[in-house]
Amino acid sequence: MSDTGTEAMEPRAEAAKLDESDELRGKRAEFSGYGLDEVVYLDGNSLGALHRAVPGRLAEVVEHEWGRLRIRSWDESGWWTAPERVGDRVGRLVGAAPGQVVVGDSTSVNVFKAVVAAVRIARGGGLSDTGAGPESGGGGPARDEILVDAATFPTDGYIAESAARMTGCAVRPLPAAGIPAAVGARTAAVLVNHVDYRTGRLHDLPGTTAAARAAGAPVVWDLCHSVGALPVELDAHGVDLAVGCTYKFLGGGPGSPAFLYVRRGLQPRFDSPLPGWNSHADPFAMASGYAPAEGAVRGRVGTPDILSMLALDAALDVWDGVSVESVRAKSLALTDFFLRCVAAYVPAGRAESITPAAHAERGSQVALRCPDAGDVMAELIRRGVVGDYRRPDVLRFGFAPLYTRFADAERAARVLAEVLTEARGGGAAD
C-alpha cells in the first residue's frame, strides 16, 4: 500500500486519503454493530474484534446442533473432524498445505507438546523425514539444551523449563538474534516467538530455522502475534513445528482454541507427551494401549472444545478472498502512518518508540515507552482510545488491518498527544 502524494498533507487529510484508497476497507463492515465506531480499538493484538457472523453461527450450534441433534452432531454436523477442518483454514494463513495444522487446546498446552516432541525427534534420528539421517549418528555430544528466546512471552519460558525437566535438558535463554549462531550439536530444540509481544519486533524465521535445521535441531515457532497479521510461510521455509493462538488477529474470541503445526515429513515421528484418546488411531476401540493416529490428528488430546472451535470457524469467514500479503501491506502502512502522527503530535521527549523502524523487523503493533504509562493508557481508554499497557513503561497499540482505519491511527496519536500534554501541564494539544 503506497502513500505516494500524501507526504506533505495534514495528518487528518492524509488519513482520509489513505482510507479511501484502502483495498481492504470493505472488510470493516463485517465487524460493524458492536461499537467499533464508538472507540478507536487498537488492542486486536490481545483480543480481536467480534465478526458479525459469529453470534448467528453460535446460536445455530447451540440451538440446533446441540439443542436438537445432540450427540448426532459429532457425525452429522462434522464436529468430530472440526480440529483438522478448521486447522486447514488456519493453515492457509500461515503457509501450510492441508493436513499439517490441528486446532485445539491452548497455546501453552501446544507449546508443551511441541517442545517435548522436538526434543524426542532430535534425539531419535534428527530432522530427516526417515528418522535415519546423518543427525542420528552416534558418537556426538548428547542433545541436552533447549534454546529459548530470552524475551519470550512468560508462559513459553515456564513451559520450556517444565519440558526441560521432563527430558533431562537445560534451558539456555538467548536473545532471539543470537540463536542462529548458538545452535549446535547439543541443541535438542529451539523455542522462539516470531513477534516479540512487548516491542513488536519481528524475528528472523527463515534464517533461524535454516541454522537450527543445519544443526539437526527442530525449532518451535510461537506465531501468536504474527498469524493473521503477516505472511509466515511455514512450508516454504522448512519449519518443523509451530503453535499459535486464534483470539488476536484471527478474532476467534476470548479463549478460542490454539493451533499446532507439524511438518508433514515429521508427523510419523511426532511423539506427543500428552497422548489422549482423541489422537488414538482407533479412538472408539477404547484400547488400553496407545497407538497414535496418522497425520496431524496425533496432535489432538481430548474432546474438542466445539463451541469455541465453531466460533473461530465462523470468524475465519472474513478471510475468504483476502491475501495475507495485502494485510501485511496495510499493516506496515498503518504503523508507518501512526509513527508519523506520533512524531507530528506528541511533545518531544514524552514518548519513544521501541518498535523497529525497519519493515523487515516489525510486526503489526507499535510499542511506545513513556513515563507513567499505566496512567496514560487508563486515560486513553477513558477517552475512547483502547490499547494496552505492559509494565513498567510500555504502551502497546495493535493494528488489525481488516478493521483498523488510518483515521483510527490518526485519532489515537492525537488523543495521546492531548493526554501527554495535559499531564505535563501544557494545556491542550493542537
Side-chain angles (χ1 to χ4, degrees):
M1 179 173 295
S2 171
D3 59 356
T4 302
T6 63
E7 290 84 352
M9 297 178 69
E10 185 270 336
R12 270 179 274 198
E14 182 180 354
K17 183 178 179 66
L18 289 168
D19 281 330
E20 180 62 30
S21 62
D22 174 18
E23 64 179 289
L24 296 174
R25 65 185 182 277
K27 287 294 178 181
R28 182 180 170 91
E30 298 188 40
F31 297 88
S32 65
Y34 299 98
L36 197 59
D37 293 329
E38 298 169 13
V39 299
V40 172
Y41 188 67
L42 299 182
D43 207 6
N45 56 331
S46 289
L47 178 64
L50 176 65
H51 186 267
R52 283 191 316 186
V54 173
R57 176 62 178 127
L58 274 180
E60 177 186 23
V61 172
V62 171
E63 295 172 7
H64 177 67
E65 296 180 11
W66 177 14
R68 294 183 180 278
L69 295 182
R70 293 177 286 276
I71 197 72
R72 293 161 52 193
S73 279
W74 286 105
D75 292 321
E76 295 180 24
S77 301
W79 287 3
W80 185 257
T81 58
E84 295 81 60
R85 176 173 52 80
V86 181
D88 284 344
R89 300 189 76 185
V90 174
R92 182 183 78 81
L93 303 178
V94 293
Q100 299 177 101
V101 177
V102 64
V103 169
D105 303 312
S106 67
T107 305
S108 302
V109 172
N110 284 328
V111 168
F112 180 70
K113 288 186 282 188
V115 172
V116 173
V119 173
R120 291 173 175 175
I121 288 168
R123 290 175 171 172
L127 297 177
S128 166
D129 289 351
T130 65
E135 305 94 336
S136 62
R143 292 193 179 271
D144 58 3
E145 289 188 340
I146 300 174
L147 306 187
V148 177
D149 166 13
T152 189
F153 187 77
T155 288
D156 289 24
Y158 307 155
I159 295 293
E161 290 282 358
S162 179
R165 290 194 299 273
M166 171 178 281
T167 57
C169 289
V171 170
R172 184 181 171 195
L174 292 165
I179 287 177
V183 292
R186 295 185 61 178
T187 307
V190 179
L191 175 60
V192 194
N193 284 244
H194 194 199
V195 174
D196 186 288
Y197 78 100
R198 293 183 188 88
T199 66
R201 177 177 292 277
L202 175 64
H203 294 138
D204 181 8
L205 183 147
T208 302
T209 300
R213 285 181 62 83
V219 183
V220 179
W221 284 98
D222 183 330
L223 307 178
C224 285
H225 285 271
S226 52
V227 59
L230 52 91
V232 180
E233 301 302 331
L234 296 178
D235 287 353
H237 296 307
V239 170
D240 294 304
L241 298 157
V243 302
C245 67
T246 62
Y247 48 78
K248 300 182 190 297
F249 294 107
L250 297 187
S256 60
F259 64 90
L260 170 67
Y261 164 88
V262 182
R263 179 168 64 81
R264 191 180 309 281
L266 288 185
Q267 289 173 1
R269 294 191 295 117
F270 181 83
D271 183 6
S272 174
L274 295 173
W277 79 286
N278 255 242
S279 62
H280 196 283
D282 188 2
F284 291 98
M286 302 298 173
S288 58
Y290 180 72
E294 296 296 325
V297 177
R298 64 175 57 193
R300 292 170 63 158
V301 182
T303 304
D305 36 5
I306 290 298
L307 296 182
S308 56
M309 177 114 35
L310 297 184
L312 167 63
D313 192 26
L316 290 172
D317 288 350
V318 74
W319 289 91
D320 292 345
V322 173
S323 76
V324 182
E325 290 73 20
S326 295
V327 169
R328 175 60 167 166
K330 183 178 176 184
S331 165
L332 291 172
L334 276 166
T335 50
D336 278 344
F337 178 64
F338 178 69
L339 286 167
R340 291 202 305 274
C341 289
V342 169
Y345 290 153
V346 172
R350 290 291 283 124
E352 171 197 6
S353 174
I354 58 173
T355 298
H359 285 182
E361 299 175 359
R362 187 194 310 165
S364 198
Q365 73 176 52
V366 171
L368 302 177
R369 178 172 286 136
C370 78
D372 303 319
D375 292 339
V376 170
M377 183 53 69
E379 182 60 19
L380 285 172
I381 293 172
R382 192 185 70 80
R383 299 188 189 195
V385 175
V386 181
D388 71 7
Y389 158 62
R390 287 293 178 266
R391 291 184 286 180
D393 58 0
V394 174
L395 305 171
R396 291 197 322 169
F397 301 94
F399 294 83
L402 294 185
Y403 54 81
T404 303
R405 302 172 300 186
F406 290 89
D408 297 325
E410 185 277 333
R411 180 182 166 195
R414 180 160 36 89
V415 175
L416 174 63
E418 293 170 359
V419 171
L420 293 177
T421 299
E422 293 170 13
R424 195 176 60 176
D430 291 338

